[in-house]
Amino acid sequence: MQLSTTSPSTDRTYDVIIAGCGPTGAMLAAELRLHDVRVLVLEKETEPTSAVRIVSLHIRSLELMAMRGLLDRILPHGRRRPASAFFAAIPKPAPEGLDPRYAYLLGIPQPVIERLLEEHAIALGAQVRRGCAVAGLTQDDEGVTVELADGEQLRSRYLVGCDGGRSTVRKLLGVGFPGEPARTESLMGEMEVGVPPEELAVTVAKVRKTHQRFWLRPAGVGVYSVLVPAAGVSDRAEPPTLDDFKHQLRAVAGTDFGVHSPRWLSRFGDATRLADRYRVGRVLLAGDAAHIHPPIGGQGLNLGVQDAVNLGWKLAARIRGWAPEALLDTYQAERRPVAEAVLDNTRAQTELLSTEPGAQAVRRLLVELMDFDEVNLRLLEKITAIGIRYDLGAGPDLLGRRLPDIAVKQGNLYGLLHHGRGLLLDRTERLTVGGWSDRVDHLADPSAALDVPGVLLRPDGHVAWVGDDQRDLDEHLSRWFGEPAH
Ligand SMILES: Cc1cc2nc3c(=O)[nH]c(=O)nc-3n(C[C@H](O)[C@H](O)[C@H](O)COP(=O)(O)OP(=O)(O)OC[C@H]3O[C@@H](n4cnc5c(N)ncnc54)[C@H](O)[C@@H]3O)c2cc1C
């Protein structure tokens, strides 16, 4: 068992224990630490994952990283691709009007983004214990007792299960995880090839006309990313081998392209499931523990990190004692529908990749429709999460949406959000955050690139209020940030 860092807490009682130090757990730990919450992350693996699969970070996640001052640290580790051709791998240029600072997809090895997020959480004071698997839990009115696999017991006020698709926490809670089991499985990996690029390109283009669940494409200098169906590779318990890939390539393409020197090989299914509830008392679920879906469109990690940013400040508010009664329940109310929509778009994309004639006809129709900018943009908004509008009640279209990184007098908006506090952006110069100034910053800036007089931003960057009326603003400050301090 390894102690990665010390935490501000000296006893064995924590405010929040997080099960799982994947991207969701690490991001949540960091968000909680912004508010001085005593956090312990328990991770069952003794070492960080070694499966170097490349994952995509999409626009909203890139924005969130910028909001927390992390983007510059992450960018050198990834490769940028234009923000296009996400939906069912249909190649279309990005629609006009995207902010060029974030209008790309960042491909980055999953272990690297996990390490960066974990380092960020630790630098903020989170404690991470590896080699500790959560095996049991009981909760009462005051808190949660967490039992580790070796019998050790720990106590916290809240527990969050960020322990992946097979979540122990979810199972211990008895929360249902309905959905569809995997219908198809695929092999995916990175390796070198033994044929010239031109010859490879001709064969790949020919095969892709009839096989949508197949690709072989460059993934770095001399390295190719390979996707093939797993049907026929029988032993699911064992990790796939290079021979399995060769066999499947010959079956699909008639040649194994002389593949050799694999970097990593994996197998995954297209099961689609959503937790019935995200919260039972003092225990919550986030990331893959709450939702799983096929990797098409590369959305799972993004969704988990965004869950964490939605939940972090709400849970911290509860612990700091200023949370309005219903605040924590807005986590499920806001994030479960988002996950439902992602599950749906992956279902749709999976159908569009089928080689059945009907599905192919629908695909051709969609290819045509995507020539309309509005259709293209709508699909891009779905995959990149920039189209999310939380249902915060009646109001202008901006209400519930994320505010883009607009220009303000001190530079860019996101530079003001590193500390996870609320922000009143006030073009009228008449408004005030009054007794909420310990939780909400105020920027009076008539030059802010906004077409409304004022907005109240939550710590997750979503718009909680729009207007110019102080009394109305005070009501919304109460709604989101509790009672004023004085
Ligand atoms: C082939 C493939 C490609 C993908 N590509 C993308 C992509 O491009 N973009 C994208 O956004 N997503 C992608 N994903 C999905 C992404 O990998 C997951 O959605 C993401 O890892 C989920 O993060 P998480 O932190 O919620 O869960 P996980 O990454 O599963 O982390 C859970 C952690 O909890 C730990 N744990 C488990 N049980 C316990 C326990 N009892 N106690 C303590 N710790 C425990 C685990 O060891 C693990 O470290 C892809 C997935 C696959 C299979």
Side-chain angles (χ1 to χ4, degrees):
M1 197 180 296
Q2 174 191 332
L3 204 62
S4 302
T5 186
T6 52
S7 105
S9 99
T10 48
D11 58 32
R12 297 177 77 76
T13 306
Y14 299 89
D15 292 323
V16 179
I17 290 180
I18 296 172
C21 197
T24 307
M27 190 72 193
L28 179 62
E31 290 293 296
L32 289 166
R33 283 302 304 151
L34 290 176
H35 304 275
D36 239 15
V37 169
R38 294 171 307 163
V39 186
L40 172 66
V41 188
L42 299 169
E43 167 55 53
K44 83 171 158 57
E45 300 298 335
T46 49
E47 297 294 331
T49 168
S50 60
V52 284
R53 95 175 150 239
I54 306 291
V55 290
S56 311
L57 289 187
H58 292 296
I59 298 174
R60 186 55 185 155
S61 298
L62 298 169
E63 290 181 344
L64 291 179
M65 297 302 145
M67 265 172 48
R68 296 300 185 246
L70 279 170
L71 189 58
D72 289 343
R73 229 177 292 167
I74 290 172
L75 285 181
H77 299 277
R79 273 202 318 143
R80 297 187 200 198
R81 279 173 36 210
S84 61
F86 300 144
F87 204 84
I90 294 172
K92 290 282 174 189
E96 306 265 302
L98 298 176
D99 180 345
R101 285 170 302 166
Y102 305 105
Y104 53 88
L105 170 160
L106 190 76
I108 187 166
Q110 181 148 345
V112 173
I113 185 70
E114 285 184 7
R115 174 173 57 77
L116 293 171
L117 293 177
E118 183 179 341
E119 283 172 5
H120 172 58
I122 288 173
L124 288 170
Q127 186 177 340
V128 181
R129 280 175 66 181
R130 289 195 166 271
C132 296
V134 171
L137 71 89
T138 49
Q139 54 173 320
D140 52 51
D141 289 348
E142 270 79 50
V144 187
T145 301
V146 176
E147 184 166 336
L148 304 187
D150 65 3
E152 184 183 354
Q153 292 198 341
L154 297 160
R155 185 83 179 150
S156 61
R157 293 172 65 187
Y158 287 89
L159 167 70
V160 188
C162 300
D163 49 347
R166 298 194 171 90
S167 171
T168 302
V169 173
R170 189 189 63 236
K171 289 174 192 156
L172 288 168
L173 288 174
V175 168
F177 202 38
E180 302 100 63
R183 284 188 306 177
T184 56
E185 295 207 308
S186 305
L187 302 184
M188 194 168 159
E190 283 185 5
M191 55 206 75
E192 295 180 35
V193 297
V195 294
E198 308 75 40
E199 187 183 322
L200 180 143
V202 172
T203 313
V204 167
K206 209 161 88 195
V207 179
R208 277 187 56 81
K209 282 191 186 142
T210 48
H211 285 86
Q212 296 295 340
R213 272 195 312 120
F214 159 78
W215 73 55
L216 205 157
R217 58 191 187 203
V221 183
V223 179
Y224 284 77
S225 165
V226 178
L227 176 83
V228 277
V233 178
S234 53
D235 194 353
R236 299 190 53 215
E238 292 296 317
T241 62
L242 184 65
D243 277 344
D244 292 333
F245 276 77
K246 286 183 174 171
H247 181 267
Q248 296 305 96
L249 282 167
R250 284 196 292 269
V252 172
T255 165
D256 62 18
F257 301 94
V259 291
H260 63 96
S261 311
R263 303 292 193 271
W264 57 271
L265 307 172
S266 70
R267 174 180 188 135
F268 63 91
D270 62 353
T272 303
R273 295 182 180 279
L274 180 62
D276 281 334
R277 303 171 65 180
Y278 278 23
R279 179 183 171 198
V280 179
R282 291 176 170 270
V283 186
L284 298 108
L285 299 170
D288 275 17
H291 38 69
I292 55 167
H293 55 80
I296 178 104
Q299 301 169 86
L301 185 150
N302 290 265
L303 192 56
V305 163
Q306 289 158 24
D307 284 349
V309 176
N310 184 284
L311 175 60
W313 69 279
K314 296 173 181 173
L315 193 50
R318 194 64 183 236
I319 284 155
R320 294 265 70 89
W322 56 257
E325 194 45 41
L327 185 66
L328 201 49
D329 289 331
T330 66
Y331 166 60
Q332 169 174 322
E334 292 173 2
R335 293 304 299 171
R336 198 169 175 279
V338 169
E340 238 170 343
V342 169
L343 264 53
D344 253 7
N345 87 47
T346 57
R347 285 185 182 105
Q349 291 186 79
T350 304
E351 292 304 319
L352 290 164
L353 291 180
S354 155
T355 48
E356 292 297 318
Q360 286 293 298
V362 177
R363 186 181 174 88
R364 284 192 292 276
L365 192 63
L366 187 66
V367 170
E368 234 177 277
L369 291 175
M370 282 174 74
D371 284 339
F372 292 100
D373 261 357
E374 246 180 78
V375 176
N376 198 10
L377 178 63
R378 177 65 70 91
L379 296 177
L380 178 126
E381 284 177 342
K382 279 184 186 296
I383 303 274
T384 61
I386 57 172
I388 290 171
R389 181 172 188 246
Y390 296 137
D391 181 4
L392 307 188
D397 182 62
L398 197 55
L399 186 68
R401 292 191 185 277
R402 111 269 190 228
L403 201 59
D405 192 10
I406 59 172
V408 293
K409 66 182 176 192
Q410 279 130 318
N412 291 320
L413 175 70
Y414 289 178
L416 305 178
L417 302 176
H418 289 190
H419 302 293
R421 292 162 54 84
L423 176 73
L424 172 64
L425 196 50
D426 167 19
R427 291 181 61 230
T428 70
E429 298 185 286
R430 285 188 286 101
L431 298 168
T432 164
V433 292
W436 289 274
S437 60
D438 59 338
R439 287 151 253 174
V440 183
D441 295 326
H442 180 193
L443 179 68
D445 179 5
S447 66
L450 266 182
D451 52 12
V452 291
V455 295
L456 175 64
L457 279 187
R458 308 189 316 187
D460 60 356
H462 279 258
V463 174
W465 171 83
V466 180
D468 60 2
D469 179 72
Q470 183 68 49
R471 194 179 306 175
D472 192 34
L473 170 61
D474 287 349
E475 275 174 26
H476 284 79
L477 281 162
S478 288
R479 173 178 171 193
W480 292 106
F481 295 97
E483 292 303 310
H486 49 81

